[in-house]
């Protein structure tokens, strides 16, 4: 039996893309998983992206296909990645989710596994609020929320500055984007992918 997992993300400077790849890698550890990566459409004008340096970063993952809302119905589990914007998900992700009204009407996502990961510029910049407020949307759509249990002991790492929350994996980008996801953060992301895949498999098996 194959378990279909879609990792749906938005990334402006690449941190969430790197995390998305780690999530997908973890999800593929599970037996018989089909894992695919998608990005949601950009909303920021090209000129603005160029001025901020984001265009060059986004070009590095321009090969990742653009998600289309109706495709979510084909997944057993959906793992969403968004950078934090003022303690919340980014507008690009919000806009994408706001196009799932048709799926909501039909109950197409009811009973599917939903999970979220994020990144912030700063250490206390709202990782938890971004993830837990994202969960509200997934609950409206009828999804079963999965986070990262403390059996992943890297959540308790106090030896270094690190992201990683029981609500979902996370990384810290620094205010200038100079910090890249650490091995501790990437391993938590892999754990989340694998954990989601295992739960989705159990649910599908019934
Ligand atoms: C408009 C805006 C709002 C942001 N709000 C926050 C915030 O509330 N807290 C924080 O720590 N970082 C904030 N950031 C920094 C981003 O979260 C950071 O650039 C992002 O996590 C990097 O991920 P990416 O490389 O995948 O785009 C903000 C950035 C922008 C452009």
């Amino acid at each position: 039996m194959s378990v279909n997992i879609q990792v749906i993300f938005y990334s402006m400077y690449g941190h969430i893309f790197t995390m998305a790849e780690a999530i997908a890698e973890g999800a593929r550890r599970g037996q018989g998983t089909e894992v695919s990566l998608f990005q949601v459409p950009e909303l920021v004008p090209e000129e603005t992206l160029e001025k901020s340096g984001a265009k060059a970063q986004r070009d590095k993952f321009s090969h990742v296909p653009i998600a289309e809302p109706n495709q979510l119905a084909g997944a057993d589990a959906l793992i969403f990645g968004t950078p934090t914007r003022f303690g919340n998900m980014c507008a690009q992700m919000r806009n994408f989710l706001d196009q799932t009204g048709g799926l909501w009407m039909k109950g197409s996502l009811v009973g599917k596994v939903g999970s979220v990961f994020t990144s912030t510029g700063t250490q206390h910049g709202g990782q938890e609020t971004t993830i837990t407020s994202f969960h509200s949307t997934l609950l409206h759509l009828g999804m079963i929320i999965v986070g990262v249990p403390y059996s992943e002991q890297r959540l308790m790492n106090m030896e270094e500055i690190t992201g990683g929350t029981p609500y979902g994996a996370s990384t810290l980008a620094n205010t200038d984007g100079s910090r890249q996801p650490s091995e501790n953060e990437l391993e938590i992301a892999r754990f989340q992918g694998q954990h989601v895949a295992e739960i989705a498999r159990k649910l599908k098996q019934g």
Side-chain angles (χ1 to χ4, degrees), residues 10-18 57 61 82-88 118-127 130 171-175 177:
Y10 173 79
S11 184
M12 187 170 266
Y13 298 105
H15 298 80
I16 284 290
F17 170 59
T18 304
Q57 294 303 322
F61 52 89
T82 174
T84 289
R85 298 281 185 262
F86 308 117
N88 248 294
T118 194
S119 69
T120 54
T122 60
Q123 231 179 315
H124 305 288
Q127 301 195 334
T130 298
T171 187
L172 302 152
N174 206 346
T175 47

Side-chain angles (χ1 to χ4, degrees), residues 35-75:
V35 185
S36 28
L37 242 68
F38 297 92
Q39 53 181 323
V40 299
E42 181 56 278
L43 298 175
V44 174
E46 189 94 349
E47 200 190 321
T48 312
L49 291 174
E50 253 178 52
K51 274 190 198 149
S52 67
K55 190 177 177 312
Q57 294 303 322
R58 285 181 51 74
D59 282 349
K60 294 179 189 164
F61 52 89
S62 57
H63 59 281
V64 178
I66 306 290
E68 191 278 315
N70 282 331
Q71 74 178 60
L72 304 185

Side-chain angles (χ1 to χ4, degrees), residues 5-9 23 27 76-82 89 93 97 109 112-118 130-132 134-139 141 143-149 165-170 188-197 199-200:
I5 298 171
Q6 296 179 18
V7 182
I8 313 268
F9 71 92
I23 293 263
D76 299 305
L78 296 162
I79 313 180
F80 296 95
T82 174
M89 73 172 82
M93 184 60 76
L97 293 171
L109 305 185
K112 295 184 189 297
V113 174
S115 200
V116 182
F117 60 100
T118 194
T130 298
I131 298 177
T132 55
F134 200 127
H135 287 168
S136 302
T137 300
L138 302 187
L139 289 167
L141 290 163
M143 302 187 75
I144 298 166
I145 308 292
V146 170
V148 180
T165 83
Y167 314 104
S170 61
I188 293 170
R190 292 182 194 110
F191 184 101
Q192 183 173 357
Q194 184 171 1
H195 185 55
V196 166
I199 290 177

